[in-house]
Amino acid sequence: MSEQHHATPDYQQIAARFRQIFARIAEGAVERERDRVLAVEPIRWLKEAGFGTLRIPVSQGGFGVTLPQLFQLLTELAEADSNLPQALRAHFAFVEDRLNQPDSEARQRWFRRFADGELVGSGWTEIGNLKLGEVITKVTPADNGWLLNGHKFYSTGSLYADWIDVYAQRADNGRDVIALVNTHQSGVKLDDDWDGFGQRLTGSGSTRFEQAAVEASHVYDFSERFRYQTAFYQHVLLSTLAGIGRAVTRDAALAVGNRKRIYSHGNARQVKQDVQVLQVVGQVSSWAYAVEATVQQATHALQQAFELHESKDQAAIQQANVQAELDAAKAQVIASELIPRAATELFNALGASDTRTSKALDRHWRNARTVASHNPVIYKTRNVGDWEVNGSDPTFIWQIGNGE
């Protein structure tokens, strides 16, 4: 029986294993944000609980969750701390890539590593003055494997990781590849230099590879990468936005419920009875609900793409991947609009005292706006429109670099 046909796990049972950890993570989120403290301890708690094995089959030491279940759990985690799902983005994508490959001893070895708590970070985006699509990071054949040299930015999650999933080019034949490099060596230099105004604790700094050793079997041709990867990466960000929406609703309700000071021209003797304030909280909650429902609906197309990856029907596979990409794009349009809006509307229910840095309520907007800036939403909207009008396939793989 293939992996995708195993019985679907019970979501509530699995979620219950992690909700106490999510609560602990939430307790320290404001302090970490305020003091820029990397989430090393929360990541350790998740590793020890096996969170990195969610998609790995039960028979191989994991929980065997479906894609809708994975992204629902990431939404719950993002409600606690929106940095963490993004920090784990490359890890879950690499696990997904292995799930799309035939079973082998090499694949089982990766799964055993993840069952032991090891994690994968990201190293795809080139830094510096380069042409569109140019790959400066190179892997060169060596006596016992490969040597990796290059410089990457947006190395999301790498500061927490044991391995980095690196997009590189082979020096011998020029082919684009993925190289899995172990971070526990002197040839890998990690810097916490991400200076964005949001998502500051995702471990998204720069990474230098200086004659870093890569095992012979840890270089994969990029053309073999799982086909729905772009939609998958986007779904991690969508789940993060949905979780931020939950957190905005939570914090709005809590702040209004506890607020004592009222305005003379308000509508009630207590803020929590003021109909206009309640309307603000209701609006925020409704936007968050709409986004989470949209995101969850989109995950089912992704699950369909996964379930068809072993099919011999290439037309069906293509159709499923197109649908997964389109659904992710539509969800991105909705989430990128409504969650930053909710994170701003929040303050209409509060007072000037709630803008104090000690409360860090601004983090919701900053984090949401940063997440929404990934994979430009204007191009996603265009892709959706081009499909609806002209039947044109969406963009599956894209690159960035200098124009003419």
Side-chain angles (χ1 to χ4, degrees), residues 46 61 74 95 116 145 178 206 250 275 277 286 302 315 321 328 334 358 390:
L46 292 170
L74 291 179
V95 171
D116 288 338
I178 294 296
S206 59
R250 175 200 66 206
V275 292
V277 173
S286 298
L302 206 64
N321 279 277
I334 298 299
S358 61
N390 302 308

Side-chain angles (χ1 to χ4, degrees), residues 93 96-101 124 221-233 301-302 305-306 308-325 393-398:
E96 196 69 21
D97 187 60
R98 296 300 89 196
L99 286 171
N100 276 259
Q101 308 304 322
W124 280 34
D221 198 291
F222 183 74
S223 64
E224 300 173 2
R225 191 80 171 182
F226 71 111
R227 291 179 59 173
Y228 52 90
Q229 62 179 323
T230 301
F232 183 95
Y233 280 116
L302 206 64
F306 167 68
L308 284 171
H309 79 270
E310 294 179 336
S311 171
K312 303 300 182 183
D313 188 342
Q314 292 303 312
I317 292 175
Q318 174 66 10
Q319 182 180 357
N321 279 277
V322 167
Q323 195 63 54
E325 189 62 43
D393 286 352
T395 304
F396 289 103
I397 302 294
W398 51 273

Side-chain angles (χ1 to χ4, degrees), residues 275-286:
V275 292
Q276 285 186 281
V277 173
L278 294 177
Q279 181 177 350
V280 171
V281 178
Q283 184 67 79
V284 166
S285 177
S286 298

Side-chain angles (χ1 to χ4, degrees), residues 115-152:
D116 288 338
E118 297 185 20
L119 295 175
V120 177
S122 176
W124 280 34
T125 304
E126 298 283 344
I127 194 169
N129 186 26
L130 71 159
K131 298 177 182 178
L132 182 64
E134 185 177 6
V135 183
I136 298 176
T137 303
K138 308 289 185 185
V139 286
T140 305
D143 290 340
N144 298 312
W146 307 82
L147 292 176
L148 178 67
N149 288 278
H151 187 188
K152 296 289 188 177

